[in-house]
Amino acid sequence: MPEMNEKERNEKQMTEVRKTPLGIERKFDRFGDWLDDSWALRKANPLLNRYPKILTFLTWMMRLAVGCVFIVSGLSKGIDPWGTYYKTMEYLEVMHIPIVEWGNTVLVLSFILFSVEFIIGVSLAFGCFRKASPIMAALFMLVMLPLTLWIAISDPVADCGCFGDFLVISNWSTFIKNCLISLAVIWLLKFNAKVKSLISPYLQWIAAVAMAAYIVLVGYVGYWQQPMIDFRPYKVGSRLLSQDGESEYIPHYEFIYEKDGEFKRIGEDDDIPDEAEGWRFVRREEKEFTKNPDAALAEAADTPDFRIWSEDGEEDVTEMLCGFDRQLILFVPDINSLSMATSWKINRLYDMAKSQDTEFFAVVAGSPDAIEEWRDLSSGQYPIYTAEDTSIKELVRGNPALVSLEDGTIKWKSALSALRLNEEDDDASNEIATYPIGKSMSGEEALTDISLIFASVLAFLILISTLRYRWSVSPLLSGGVDAKKNEEEDCKTPES
């Protein structure tokens, strides 16, 4: 058989690159051919062919615009994986999808969602995987665009959660944003493969590993301990329980009553159902806060005061709990899903707090029956109070989680899973520590440190790629091909 010439080898290589198990790339290639016949490209192609630098400039602008949106969206979700999980569960609820047994599955899907989103964004911003990254972005937008249109029209949720708690925008603004992103993605589907990447295709797998390691580490710390950056109102150093004067904000509630499986929502000004008729109080839900015109606070707070209620949910006990210098509060946003495996750890914390003259109590979201059942099963001796689940989730992440207070000011927050306790009962061992990848990894400084390491890896790959194009650094990096010739082939061959 005669040996193939160089042209035939290049054509064979291009054909092999476009083969995928599902033929996805061929479908998008046909979409690109269809774009060539569109009115807009028929008008623009002569100009782009005559001035290729315009094509390069516009493509890089599209890469950076779409990439930055995906990066910010994925990173803000990854910093707060519990928030992503809660928002995903909210979507499933409004779609009437059964979620009782989906807890761990939804959590895994949340990690996959923000990890893929972040990797797509970084790949686009640096020009990596020139065919695969715009295809992945297009598939992503094929789901998100109709979803956000439905959200904008039906308004089933307050906000889409695209950027977590970092940036909250209206549902219609989200849909318009996604329309603009989709237009940019269409451009990239057609032209992205024609513009070189900053990182050589031979090194892009290293970049992909670095992207995945970075976002998974950020998400793991946010899940295991607390988000590295707290976008919520109750940050470390802020006051949780106000002791002086009246609250600057007045909470408003709805009361949930149940009778024979039927639930009724009662407003503050509505008549309470008669318990003699079989109606039973279930819970209180916090709806909104309004400014208190009579409040005279020594220190005006920027956020609503956290309110704590008695076990039956009928009495506000917040002021009563403000009289302690040091407090360790256990927060449980969902007592029904609380594992019995945590009961020893909680009881041990209670004993440690007593030995350190620290007030310890639990604040849970749940019905009186669920609280009584937990107290019986866990043999807990600590007081239990109640609060709204949305308020608890806004304060601290994890189920359960801990907040340490001194004079009403938050000193630290942690999920219970990140705490390491000594099993001995002597006073010398009564110190609360965290696992190595716990509190030591939380905080803005830790995020800055690992972000600098990640950026350094990408910068190193860009430097090596630049040297590879200019000089033949080594057979390993240059692939045994002359650097100038390899550069030309890289421009012609739309490798992913």
Side-chain angles (χ1 to χ4, degrees):
M1 179 180 294
E3 187 176 346
M4 290 188 296
N5 58 36
E6 187 171 342
K7 181 178 179 181
E8 291 173 338
R9 283 198 302 270
N10 289 338
E11 290 177 354
K12 183 175 183 295
Q13 184 181 12
M14 292 180 66
T15 304
E16 290 175 350
V17 166
R18 291 195 175 117
K19 286 183 179 179
T20 60
L22 300 177
I24 294 176
E25 291 193 27
R26 287 187 175 181
K27 290 182 174 61
F28 279 98
D29 284 341
R30 288 197 292 270
F31 176 72
D33 295 337
W34 175 80
L35 285 177
D36 282 333
D37 296 331
S38 64
W39 175 86
L41 278 187
R42 284 203 308 269
K43 297 293 185 182
N45 271 331
L47 179 64
L48 296 176
N49 292 332
R50 185 175 179 181
Y51 302 103
K53 289 186 178 181
I54 295 179
L55 173 63
T56 302
F57 174 78
L58 292 176
T59 301
W60 269 111
M61 290 298 100
M62 300 298 179
R63 282 178 175 178
L64 292 174
V66 178
C68 287
V69 171
F70 271 75
I71 289 172
V72 174
S73 180
L75 185 57
S76 59
K77 293 189 185 81
I79 288 175
D80 185 11
W82 278 105
T84 306
Y85 167 75
Y86 293 144
K87 178 59 69 173
T88 305
M89 295 291 280
E90 184 179 355
Y91 274 119
L92 294 176
E93 288 179 358
V94 299
M95 293 177 181
H96 305 292
I97 299 176
I99 57 175
V100 177
E101 304 296 334
W102 282 38
N104 292 333
T105 303
V106 174
L107 183 62
V108 172
L109 290 175
S110 300
F111 266 80
I112 293 174
L113 171 66
F114 63 70
S115 298
V116 170
E117 199 169 359
F118 179 79
I119 292 172
I120 291 174
V122 178
S123 298
L124 286 173
F126 286 83
C128 298
F129 310 105
R130 291 175 297 162
K131 287 188 68 70
S133 53
I135 289 176
M136 292 299 297
L139 293 174
F140 197 89
M141 297 311 300
L142 282 175
V143 176
M144 291 300 170
L145 191 60
L147 177 63
T148 51
L149 176 60
W150 170 68
I151 294 172
I153 295 175
S154 303
D155 200 27
V157 293
D159 65 275
C160 72
C162 296
F163 302 106
D165 291 322
F166 168 67
L167 178 62
V168 179
I169 58 178
S170 68
N171 292 335
W172 276 111
S173 298
T174 301
F175 174 68
I176 295 172
K177 179 259 298 180
N178 285 345
C179 289
L180 297 176
I181 292 176
S182 299
L183 292 174
V185 169
I186 291 174
W187 176 279
L188 293 175
L189 284 171
K190 179 61 183 174
F191 297 112
N192 193 57
K194 297 182 178 180
V195 179
K196 287 196 307 180
S197 63
L198 293 178
I199 300 175
S200 169
Y202 292 97
L203 300 173
Q204 288 176 7
W205 66 272
I206 302 177
V209 172
M211 298 173 206
Y214 172 82
I215 192 63
V216 170
L217 178 60
V218 170
Y220 181 74
V221 173
Y223 172 79
W224 181 257
Q225 169 72 24
Q226 287 296 292
M228 288 184 168
I229 300 179
D230 197 344
F231 300 120
R232 294 156 293 151
Y234 303 103
K235 297 178 174 60
V236 172
S238 63
R239 292 191 62 83
L240 176 63
L241 305 179
S242 179
Q243 196 169 1
D244 302 320
E246 298 181 66
S247 173
E248 187 183 1
Y249 291 85
I250 301 175
H252 297 280
Y253 302 94
E254 276 189 350
F255 304 90
I256 313 301
Y257 282 81
E258 181 267 339
K259 172 185 174 183
D260 300 329
E262 178 187 354
F263 292 89
K264 179 182 289 188
R265 292 179 176 269
I266 306 298
E268 293 178 334
D269 299 327
D270 299 334
D271 295 331
I272 297 177
D274 190 353
E275 293 185 2
E277 297 179 359
W279 289 101
R280 182 178 65 90
F281 173 76
V282 178
R283 66 182 183 276
R284 175 194 296 105
E285 288 188 359
E286 199 171 86
K287 304 306 292 182
E288 62 180 355
F289 284 85
T290 57
K291 198 82 169 180
N292 184 359
D294 300 325
L297 295 177
E299 271 182 50
D302 294 330
T303 59
D305 290 332
F306 192 90
R307 310 312 295 174
I308 301 176
W309 303 82
S310 59
E311 185 174 325
D312 57 12
E314 296 184 358
E315 181 183 358
D316 187 342
V317 297
T318 308
E319 300 300 327
M320 180 190 73
L321 298 174
C322 290
F324 302 97
D325 295 334
R326 300 174 62 190
Q327 296 169 308
L328 187 61
I329 310 176
L330 177 77
F331 287 96
V332 184
D334 185 5
I335 195 171
N336 295 316
S337 62
L338 193 60
S339 171
M340 283 303 302
T342 63
S343 60
W344 172 87
K345 209 171 192 179
I346 296 172
N347 293 335
R348 175 74 178 120
L349 279 169
Y350 174 59
D351 295 335
M352 293 169 64
K354 285 198 304 181
S355 69
Q356 298 176 17
D357 296 325
T358 300
E359 182 70 14
F360 182 94
F361 56 90
V363 178
V364 308
S367 65
D369 293 340
I371 295 173
E372 190 61 34
E373 181 181 359
W374 168 256
R375 182 181 280 115
D376 292 339
L377 293 175
S378 65
S379 301
Q381 302 300 314
Y382 45 87
I384 298 179
Y385 303 99
T386 60
E388 306 305 320
D389 60 341
T390 52
S391 297
I392 295 176
K393 293 173 183 177
E394 193 174 45
L395 167 64
V396 64
R397 298 306 197 197
N399 188 42
L402 288 160
V403 175
S404 175
L405 299 180
E406 289 188 14
D407 297 324
T409 301
I410 300 174
K411 306 306 290 183
W412 57 265
K413 301 190 287 187
S414 173
L416 183 65
S417 56
L419 296 181
R420 182 175 71 251
L421 306 180
N422 196 314
E423 297 186 15
E424 299 177 8
D425 292 330
D426 58 286
D427 292 342
S429 66
N430 286 338
E431 291 188 4
I432 300 174
T434 61
Y435 291 105
I437 191 167
K439 187 185 295 184
S440 61
M441 284 297 297
S442 64
E444 297 182 15
E445 292 183 2
L447 180 62
T448 301
D449 292 340
I450 64 172
S451 298
L452 287 174
I453 295 173
F454 174 59
S456 299
V457 172
L458 295 181
F460 177 74
L461 294 177
I462 294 173
L463 176 62
I464 294 298
S465 301
T466 303
L467 294 176
R468 172 185 170 269
Y469 284 130
R470 292 182 179 277
W471 302 285
S472 181
V473 179
S474 70
L476 177 63
L477 296 178
S478 64
V481 182
D482 178 75
K484 184 176 180 181
K485 177 181 176 183
N486 205 13
E487 179 181 0
E488 294 174 354
E489 289 183 357
D490 183 59
C491 293
K492 293 189 297 182
T493 306
E495 297 176 351
S496 59

